[in-house]
Structures are given as C-alpha cells and as structure tokens.
Amino acid sequence: MQIGVFSVSDITTDPTTGRTPTENERIKAAVAIAKKVEEIGMDVYAIGEHHNRPFFSSSPTTTLGYIAAQTERITLSTATTLITTNDPVKIAEDFAMLQHLADGRVDLVLGRGNTAPVYPWFGKNIQDGVELAIENYSLLRRLWDEDTVNWSGKFRTPLQNFTSTPRPLDGVAPFVWHGSIRTPQIAEVAAYYGDGFFANNIFWPKEHYQQLIGLYRERYEHYGHGKADQAIVGLGGQFFMRKNSQDAVKEFRPYFDNAPVYGHGPSLEDFTSQTPLTVGSPQEIIEKTLTFREYFGDYQRQLFLIDHAGLPLKTVLEQLDLFGEEVLPVLRKEYAALKPAHVPDPPTHAGRVAALLAAQGTPSAPAEL
C-alpha cells in the first residue's frame, strides 16, 4: 500500500487569525509539505491543477520538478491533470521530462476537473468534456507508446510523423490513474486501458464511491486485465488529528465551519459521520481508514488531504509528524497483513520496467557468471 498526501492548492483565509497566506507562501508550503512527507516515511506527494483563484497550482509539473530535486524516494504525482483542456502533446512531453528528472518517481491522475470556466479559457466547450477526455487520452497513450504517430481526431489538428520528446524513461510511460467524482465513463476508460482508478473519496458518502469503484472493477475484469479484485484502485481521504479527540474537534471546528468547500453546510459531526473526514485521535484515524478496505476492497494507494481550509503550515507539519509516529506504522502493518497474495502491489516505475523486460524475454539483471 502506498500512503501519501494530496493538495488541492487552495489559498484560504485562516478563520482563527483572519490572515490570508500569499501565493508565494502557499507555493513554498507545498514544497515543505512534500519534504516532510518523505521525512516521515510516507510514499506519495500529489498536487492538483487549477487555473483560477483561490488556487495556486496552475503548473504542477514545475512544482513537482522542483520537489524532485529535493527528495530521493517519494513518488511525485498530480491530484488532477486536466486531460480535457491540456494538449495531450504537452502532457506527454512534460511528464516524460519530469520522469527523467525524477528517475522514474512520477505518475499522474487524469481528470476533467470541476471548474466550468476553464474550458473556454483554453478554447474548449464543457459540453464536450467526456468526449475530450476520451479522445485526448487515446492520443496521449499513443504518444507515449509509439515512436512515430500519425493521428487525426475531432478536437485538435492532425499529427503527421510526430515523435514526442523526450521518450518515456526506460521505454515505460508514467503510470496513469483516472480520477472521477461522478462520471462512470471515466471509470470505463480506466478499465479499458488497464490503468488505475482514483476515487476522490472526500465529499460523498461511501455508497457513491462504491458504485464507481464497483463499475471500474467489473469492467477491468471484462477487458481481460485480471480479476475484479486485482484492479488498481486509489482512494482519497482527509483527517485532522491531535493526541485526543476533544482537542482535535475544538481546534478544527472553525476551519471546517468557514471552509469554502464545505463551510456553512452540515455540522462537523454530521459531515464526519457521513463522509471519510476523520477529526480525532490517532486511533480514530487508524480505525476509520481501515474501514475503507471493507467498503471498497483491497486497494493500492491511500492519499489524504491535510493542507486545506486555511490551516497554517505549522499545523500541517505537526499533523504529519503525529501521523508518522502513531498512524503510519499501524496502517502499514495492518494493510500488509490483510492483503491477499493475488492482489497486485502498487505500480512503480521499477516494477513496470521489470514487467516489460519479462514480457520481452529480457532478464532484468545480468546473470551471474
């Protein structure tokens, strides 16, 4: 199981102080959080893509490239790369470049996003969202898998004898997760290609994501990639933690009550009972996170949203230290004990290179003399 954090890159006023961090402060905070993720032994840092206020992450590959230079082990990913409004050629180039710079520690989550105005800003129509996602990904796949591409489609100019550069590291493209909050067609695309499916798993009750993940697993098996329980699933989640529950609830309540994404709606108590949000002690975080497997089956990646709603960087780093000390070791032990042998490990660059070499009949390492 890969365990990490993801950020939606919001810039939100701290309701306890009335202070709003600057763009520069939030950008630098993302780097500090990623470095802390590696320091405490987590596996993944992911950041989203937005082109509107109050968000800062318009160029996640730039951010991840900077982080790659200051880390050695963690996988660097996006929480969403907009497959609808980004040019597939640019996605292919940017992520292959990042892959080389990070020595393969790169994958990405593709999605349609949830900001309607972004479509016309990039010359697209939101009504074409699903069609754009399907066509653009088909082209992206070919750009990574084929040295020379001849292609024509509905939404961009044709390509003739085109080669995307640089080529993917070791001949293996970055692993792709397809992220969706509500769209079954995206689960179908993920299943068709044998890619991963990432369920946001933040704002909706478990039954909503059970339907999407269940569809993806069923279609993954239908397309011959393996049994349904061998499909590659990732989940989001979110927590706020202190040593005891009362302190956690008291400290987090003003952030929850005023957060743009869910403030002034259901109470904190109702929201935590109906969604994956956990506010409490380390043991409560452990217990609720382990229930995800009961609802969704064995899965490969668990990411947590922790740096939102105006929480100051100091508090976020404290959360990570506590998570690393008291939660992460227990989750690792429990996930390892529960995982059936036939369920695949999380995809990594090294593992995928080894699989490619095996499929080609090439030894992955020189034979001993």
Side-chain angles (χ1 to χ4, degrees):
M1 169 71 77
Q2 292 176 334
I3 301 172
V5 305
F6 72 106
S7 174
V8 296
S9 80
D10 63 307
I11 300 175
T12 302
T13 300
D14 184 333
T16 67
T17 65
R19 186 179 182 278
T20 304
T22 66
E23 289 178 323
N24 181 265
E25 287 172 330
R26 284 291 283 135
I27 291 167
K28 295 296 181 65
V31 178
I33 292 167
K35 292 167 72 173
K36 177 63 75 171
V37 164
E38 175 155 292
E39 177 189 321
I40 68 169
M42 296 175 91
D43 307 301
V44 182
Y45 177 78
I47 191 164
E49 178 185 349
H50 290 277
H51 299 274
N52 58 295
R53 290 178 173 178
F55 305 98
F56 68 82
S57 182
S58 59
S59 182
T61 52
T62 304
T63 309
L64 295 176
Y66 187 79
I67 293 169
Q70 301 182 61
T71 55
E72 297 179 354
R73 184 186 54 79
I74 54 171
T75 295
L76 304 170
S77 185
T78 54
T80 304
T81 293
L82 300 178
I83 187 62
T84 46
T85 51
N86 280 303
D87 186 347
V89 172
K90 198 70 174 76
I91 296 176
E93 294 172 341
D94 283 352
F95 280 90
M97 181 68 77
L98 179 58
Q99 196 189 30
H100 282 270
L101 292 171
D103 296 322
R105 297 184 290 124
V106 173
D107 57 34
L108 66 160
V109 176
L110 294 178
R112 295 190 298 141
N114 58 7
T115 306
V118 74
Y119 284 83
W121 293 342
F122 288 89
K124 307 298 181 183
N125 187 331
I126 193 172
Q127 301 302 321
D128 298 325
V130 172
E131 279 189 277
L132 277 163
I134 294 170
E135 180 177 296
N136 283 354
Y137 184 60
S138 175
L139 174 56
L140 175 61
R141 189 80 267 160
R142 289 189 59 188
L143 290 166
W144 276 336
D145 293 345
E146 302 173 23
D147 281 340
T148 303
V149 173
N150 291 285
W151 178 91
S152 64
K154 180 178 178 181
F155 296 108
R156 82 174 312 280
T157 54
L159 297 173
Q160 295 183 349
N161 297 321
F162 180 78
T163 299
S164 174
T165 56
R167 303 303 299 143
L169 179 64
D170 300 319
V172 174
F175 185 78
V176 172
W177 305 80
H178 299 261
S180 179
I181 296 175
R182 66 180 71 86
T183 311
Q185 293 96 323
I186 301 304
E188 180 78 16
V189 170
Y192 176 81
Y193 286 97
D195 295 335
F197 182 74
F198 187 83
N200 175 275
N201 196 39
I202 292 179
F203 300 119
W204 298 73
K206 62 183 182 297
E207 291 80 8
H208 176 82
Y209 293 108
Q210 283 176 318
Q211 292 181 356
L212 281 174
I213 293 171
L215 171 64
Y216 162 67
R217 290 188 183 278
E218 175 189 326
R219 300 301 288 170
Y220 184 94
E221 181 170 329
H222 169 80
Y223 288 117
H225 300 297
K227 297 295 185 181
D229 64 353
Q230 295 176 309
I232 309 299
V233 173
L235 296 176
Q238 54 184 328
F239 66 80
F240 187 87
M241 174 173 43
R242 288 303 187 195
K243 287 283 188 177
N244 65 71
S245 298
Q246 294 84 355
D247 289 342
V249 171
K250 180 180 179 181
E251 185 175 349
F252 187 67
R253 188 180 299 280
Y255 294 97
F256 176 89
D257 288 347
N258 293 280
V261 290
Y262 43 46
H264 312 290
S267 70
L268 175 59
E269 287 73 16
D270 286 344
F271 199 86
T272 53
S273 69
Q274 296 169 11
T275 76
L277 173 64
T278 312
V279 181
S281 67
Q283 186 59 35
E284 288 174 304
I285 308 301
I286 291 167
E287 291 174 359
K288 190 161 185 177
T289 302
L290 290 175
T291 65
F292 295 170
R293 179 180 175 274
E294 300 172 15
Y295 303 143
F296 308 118
D298 290 288
Y299 62 111
Q300 283 72 21
R301 175 174 287 184
Q302 175 64 59
L303 302 184
F304 294 101
L305 174 63
I306 60 169
D307 73 326
H308 62 124
L311 289 165
L313 175 61
K314 178 178 179 291
T315 300
V316 174
L317 298 181
E318 290 170 352
Q319 298 282 298
L320 286 171
D321 279 331
L322 187 56
F323 187 93
E325 292 167 7
E326 301 201 20
V327 178
L328 184 60
V330 179
L331 289 182
R332 288 212 186 283
K333 180 180 178 181
E334 293 295 325
Y335 282 132
L338 293 168
K339 176 180 170 296
H342 72 282
V343 171
D345 292 330
T348 63
H349 182 75
R352 300 180 72 224
V353 170
L356 176 63
L357 293 174
Q360 295 173 339
T362 305
S364 57
E368 293 184 2
L369 296 177

